[in-house]
């Protein structure tokens, strides 16, 4: 029987289980990455986020949390999404090929000491892989967000990103939900490191 209520209960439970497992398995790595981002931002570094589709939306969302504010008010933090400028994206796709749309932007905006966060639920998005590779070659700190398939044996993303966060699911919505919570978590942890006074009333 196709019961919408049961379907809702299942998907919520599955999302919670996926997130609980991911954060339990990656707690120390998340704290370390947040500290690394904060350290680079103290020296003038910025974050470059990029991805396709739902990952592009997540890249834009999390970049906005850094530039605006997350919870308490504090100075703006330097972050940008490479998935948002339609003129740049279409020009690069037309002139160089879709697989180069992030590589060229990394070349334009990325500097040693910056952070590149590439998002791909499959771990196989050629443009994201090339963007991470260009970032690493340019001396950026590279972080990948993916799902379980992106961490399988032979994954190129695993070889390119210095840190790879693997959501333990092959279901795209569960992966994307966890990536959003991971982005929120990194934003708050960086905030707390850079602006401890803003959280003094916790």
């Amino acid at each position: 029987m196709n019961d919408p209520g049961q379907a809702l209960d299942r998907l919520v439970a599955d999302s919670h289980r996926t997130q609980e497992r991911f954060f339990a398995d990656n707690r120390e790595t998340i704290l370390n990455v947040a500290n690394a981002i904060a350290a680079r931002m103290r020296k003038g570094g910025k974050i470059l986020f990029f991805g396709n589709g739902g990952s592009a939306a997540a890249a834009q969302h999390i970049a906005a949390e850094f530039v605006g504010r997350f919870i308490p008010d504090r100075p703006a933090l330097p972050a940008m999404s490479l998935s948002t400028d339609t003129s740049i994206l279409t020009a690069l796709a037309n002139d160089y090929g879709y697989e180069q749309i992030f590589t060229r932007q990394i070349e334009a905006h990325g500097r040693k000491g910056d952070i590149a966060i590439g998002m791909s639920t499959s771990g196989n998005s050629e443009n994201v892989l090339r963007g991470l590779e260009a970032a690493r070659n340019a001396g950026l700190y590279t972080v990948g967000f993916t799902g379980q398939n992106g961490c399988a044996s032979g994954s190129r993303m695993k070889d390119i990103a210095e840190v790879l966060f693997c959501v333990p699911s092959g279901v795209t919505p569960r992966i994307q939900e966890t990536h959003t919570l991971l982005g929120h978590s990194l934003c708050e942890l960086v905030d707390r490191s850079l602006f401890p006074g803003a959280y003094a009333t916790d």
Side-chain angles (χ1 to χ4, degrees):
M1 187 176 192
N2 186 12
D3 185 330
Q6 288 183 357
L8 176 60
D9 292 342
R10 282 196 301 272
L11 73 87
V12 171
D14 187 34
S15 184
H16 287 171
R17 280 193 301 270
T18 300
Q19 292 179 26
E20 287 171 1
R21 181 178 167 192
F22 172 80
F23 283 93
D25 291 345
N26 291 277
R27 182 177 186 276
E28 291 305 315
T29 304
I30 293 167
L31 293 170
N32 290 338
V33 168
N35 287 335
I37 293 172
R40 284 162 174 76
M41 283 191 162
R42 286 190 184 96
K43 297 178 180 179
K46 61 184 176 294
I47 311 178
L48 304 176
F49 293 93
F50 49 99
N52 300 294
S55 296
Q60 183 174 351
H61 174 174
I62 304 305
E65 304 286 20
F66 279 92
V67 175
R69 66 177 183 181
F70 187 60
I71 298 175
D73 199 13
R74 43 78 168 151
L77 293 174
M80 62 187 296
S81 168
L82 304 184
S83 307
T84 57
D85 190 317
T86 55
S87 294
I88 289 175
L89 293 171
T90 54
L92 295 178
N94 186 64
D95 295 347
Y96 296 97
Y98 191 70
E99 67 277 5
Q100 299 288 353
I101 61 172
F102 301 132
T103 302
R104 295 288 294 186
Q105 293 187 78
I106 292 290
E107 291 173 5
H109 301 298
R111 299 293 180 267
K112 188 173 182 178
D114 289 345
I115 305 102
I117 298 182
M119 303 179 177
S120 170
T121 57
S122 69
N124 295 320
S125 301
E126 186 65 28
N127 54 3
V128 174
L129 294 171
R130 292 196 186 195
L132 285 170
E133 190 169 40
R136 188 159 186 173
N137 290 340
L140 281 71
Y141 178 58
T142 54
V143 180
F145 287 20
T146 190
Q148 65 184 18
N149 294 334
C151 293
S153 177
S155 166
R156 288 171 58 201
M157 201 172 193
K158 188 163 56 174
D159 293 334
I160 296 169
E162 292 174 66
V163 178
L164 185 58
F165 287 113
C166 305
V167 177
S169 176
V171 180
T172 297
R174 303 295 85 82
I175 298 168
Q176 292 173 339
E177 290 155 5
T178 307
H179 285 174
T180 297
L181 183 54
L182 172 59
H184 280 170
S185 300
L186 291 173
C187 188
E188 180 166 340
L189 291 169
V190 170
D191 265 16
R192 287 178 179 274
S193 179
L194 297 178
F195 309 107
Y199 289 85
T201 58
D202 274 11

